[in-house]
Amino acid sequence: MSDSPDRAERSASGGTTAAVGDRVLTLPNLISFVRLVGVPLFLYLFLVVRADVAAIVVLAIGGTSDWVDGWIARRLHQVSRLGELLDPLADRLYILATLLAFTAREVVPWQFTGALLARELLLLGSLAVLRRYGYGPPPVHYVGKTATFLLLAAFPILLLAAAAPGAATVAGAIGWGLAWWGLVLYWVAGAMYVVQATRLVRAMRARSGGAPA
């Protein structure tokens, strides 16, 4: 999180220390597009044809490759505005689609799904307030990235535990350990975003005399 309101404002409005371009046809963006295609493919394999093994493979590749597009973008100096939108979008869609599919087939309880969806609603409310005051979404925090990685790593392991009774004990323990830690950090990151949004709104109100931008 930003150490001061001015730094937070620059971050929330899209300012970063790395150069951000307008290119669309880049390798990181292509990886992000492929990850997005994996979402409906996973849903089809898991819910329609019940091909659990193939669904595990798609979910594992799509989830654990979360860091690849960002790493390549920085390595090849191909950071783009589109990529900054696609990367968190792919992560969020994987989490939401997997949760809804797992809940439908009773791989995870609805309470777990509800806890994650409640955090998403909280974040959407914060983003709506920021947009009202002329700010874009805040940059993804490392706590949020860690939470996302834990959740996306947990899901294929939980699916393995449900699809392979022989591995249920070990895979279930590992999967739920990752899932619960991911849930806790997901909410911690959400709280940090809310605090940052509150600081930005207060700073704007102080400068404008209380009237929204």
Side-chain angles (χ1 to χ4, degrees):
M1 186 178 304
S2 300
D3 298 326
S4 69
D6 290 339
R7 288 177 60 190
E9 289 169 17
R10 287 197 298 270
S11 297
S13 60
T16 60
T17 56
V20 179
D22 296 319
R23 295 177 61 189
V24 173
L25 298 178
T26 65
L27 179 58
N29 289 349
L30 177 61
I31 294 174
S32 295
F33 278 122
V34 172
R35 292 185 67 225
L36 286 172
V37 172
V39 174
L41 177 60
F42 162 75
L43 292 175
Y44 172 76
L45 293 171
F46 187 65
L47 295 178
V48 179
V49 299
R50 301 293 182 101
D52 290 352
V53 175
I56 290 174
V57 173
V58 172
L59 190 58
I61 294 175
T64 57
S65 61
D66 164 49
W67 60 275
V68 174
D69 46 3
W71 182 84
I72 292 178
R74 292 186 296 272
R75 189 79 172 180
L76 300 181
H77 305 288
Q78 293 183 348
V79 177
S80 66
R81 292 178 177 85
L82 178 61
E84 289 181 340
L85 294 175
L86 288 178
D87 186 29
L89 175 63
D91 294 342
R92 190 156 281 112
L93 286 178
Y94 263 102
I95 290 175
L96 294 178
T98 304
L99 278 175
L100 295 177
F102 277 15
T103 305
R105 287 189 52 184
E106 299 182 345
V107 176
V108 300
W110 65 265
Q111 293 91 339
F112 186 86
T113 302
L116 281 174
L117 292 179
R119 187 268 192 184
E120 291 298 315
L121 291 176
L122 175 67
L123 190 59
L124 285 175
S126 299
L127 293 177
V129 172
L130 285 176
R131 187 174 298 276
R132 183 186 177 196
Y133 283 86
Y135 293 111
V140 178
H141 196 275
Y142 75 90
V143 175
K145 293 294 290 183
T146 302
T148 299
F149 176 81
L150 290 175
L151 290 171
L152 293 177
F155 291 152
I157 299 175
L158 291 175
L159 180 53
L160 176 63
T169 301
V170 175
I174 295 174
W176 279 114
L178 293 172
W180 283 113
W181 271 109
L183 175 62
V184 170
L185 290 180
Y186 213 53
W187 269 97
V188 170
M192 295 172 73
Y193 293 139
V194 170
V195 170
Q196 185 173 356
T198 301
R199 289 177 176 174
L200 291 172
V201 171
R202 286 177 177 173
M204 175 62 75
R205 285 179 174 176
R207 287 198 299 265
S208 61

